[in-house]
Amino acid sequence: MRRTVKEFRQAKGQRLVYLTAYDYPTARLAQEAGVDAILVGDSLGMVVLGYSSTVPVTLEEMLHHTKAARRGAPDTFLVADLPYLSYATLDRALFAAERLLKEGGADAVKLEGGEEVVEIVSGLSRAGVPVLGHVGLTPQTASQLGGYKLQGRRPEEAERILKGALALEEAGAYGVVLEMVPKELAKEITERLSIHTVGIGAGPHTDAQVLVFHDVVGLYGDFKPRFVKRYLEGEKLFLEALSQYVREVREGVFPAEEHSF
Ligand code: KIV
């Protein structure tokens, strides 16, 4: 059964599992595996569309993939990312959220930033849109943070991230993603918030965890951040299978009698 926003609001201390998925087959597998929530992350720009960052991802692309993921996982809570600049003003954020919830079938939206986005998060929350926050490494503005690096090592950075997370809770977010921060900071934020934290590269103390589908199953080349645990060497297995298909067609092994009418 699809979980409700209220259940997520009351999920403090539960070890919830989020996983990204971007289309019908990956969402179907995520649901079958029993995840608590699917995130149609704008990481799709990198792992599915081949962009070098999440910046180029458009609302139309998010919508296209959210609809497909929803078709694959009708019974799973689904969060869709608001793409870069689609929440630069409250009007734009409401427009984007409306499309992702009504047309895409999402249950909630996620956006990046701390204190600088609280007005947007309050506005969305007032309008009845469930919002998941995201602080620490925020990929849409990674360049301003010096790249895809651990955030919050310096005390003033840690303070900014903590304040951001507290402000998001105050503004009505139902949860907050903590990306690439030291585990001690993630622990402190998790203890200070009454909403659940969702960690990625944030150690074991967050309430929930999230990983990118393609990282988990080894479908994103050789790139493997330290915080990723790869549960399958997917590319290797796919490549073996595809190479065998190519060989068998060339050698006249496929199609065999049992594949023919
Ligand atoms: O876009 C994404 O997949 C994300 C997760 C890494 C949290 O934001």
Side-chain angles (χ1 to χ4, degrees), residues 25-35 38 72-73 76:
T26 56
R28 208 165 56 88
L29 287 170
Q31 175 166 292
E32 186 70 21
V35 302
I38 286 175
T76 304

Side-chain angles (χ1 to χ4, degrees), residues 182-232:
K183 61 180 195 283
E184 298 77 14
L185 176 60
K187 184 168 188 282
E188 185 185 353
I189 296 175
T190 299
E191 286 168 359
R192 297 274 299 269
L193 293 187
S194 58
I195 53 175
H196 74 295
T197 55
V198 186
I200 175 162
H205 305 299
T206 54
D207 299 299
Q209 295 288 330
V210 61
L211 280 177
V212 167
F213 183 96
H214 292 62
D215 289 339
V216 174
V217 299
L219 284 178
Y220 191 52
D222 291 334
F223 178 70
K224 184 177 147 326
R226 168 167 163 186
F227 60 80
V228 166
K229 179 167 176 184
R230 207 180 257 183
Y231 288 82
L232 183 74

Side-chain angles (χ1 to χ4, degrees), residues 42 54-55 57-60 62 80-100 109-112 117 120 124 140:
D42 61 355
T54 58
V55 169
V57 176
T58 65
L59 181 57
E60 292 307 324
M62 286 306 306
D81 262 343
L82 290 179
Y84 180 55
L85 288 184
S86 70
Y87 50 99
T89 64
L90 181 56
D91 278 352
R92 296 196 67 174
L94 285 167
F95 175 77
E98 179 176 10
R99 294 202 67 195
L100 289 166
V109 295
K110 176 168 80 58
L111 53 76
E112 297 180 7
V117 294
I120 307 292
L124 287 169
Q140 293 173 4

Side-chain angles (χ1 to χ4, degrees), residues 24-84:
Y24 178 81
T26 56
R28 208 165 56 88
L29 287 170
Q31 175 166 292
E32 186 70 21
V35 302
D36 297 294
I38 286 175
L39 169 65
V40 184
D42 61 355
S43 51
L44 74 86
M46 297 172 80
V47 299
V48 175
L49 301 178
Y51 300 143
S52 60
S53 78
T54 58
V55 169
V57 176
T58 65
L59 181 57
E60 292 307 324
E61 286 166 339
M62 286 306 306
L63 201 53
H64 179 77
H65 286 270
T66 301
K67 286 180 185 174
R70 174 47 85 209
R71 287 191 288 270
D75 300 328
T76 304
F77 191 85
L78 190 147
V79 185
D81 262 343
L82 290 179
Y84 180 55

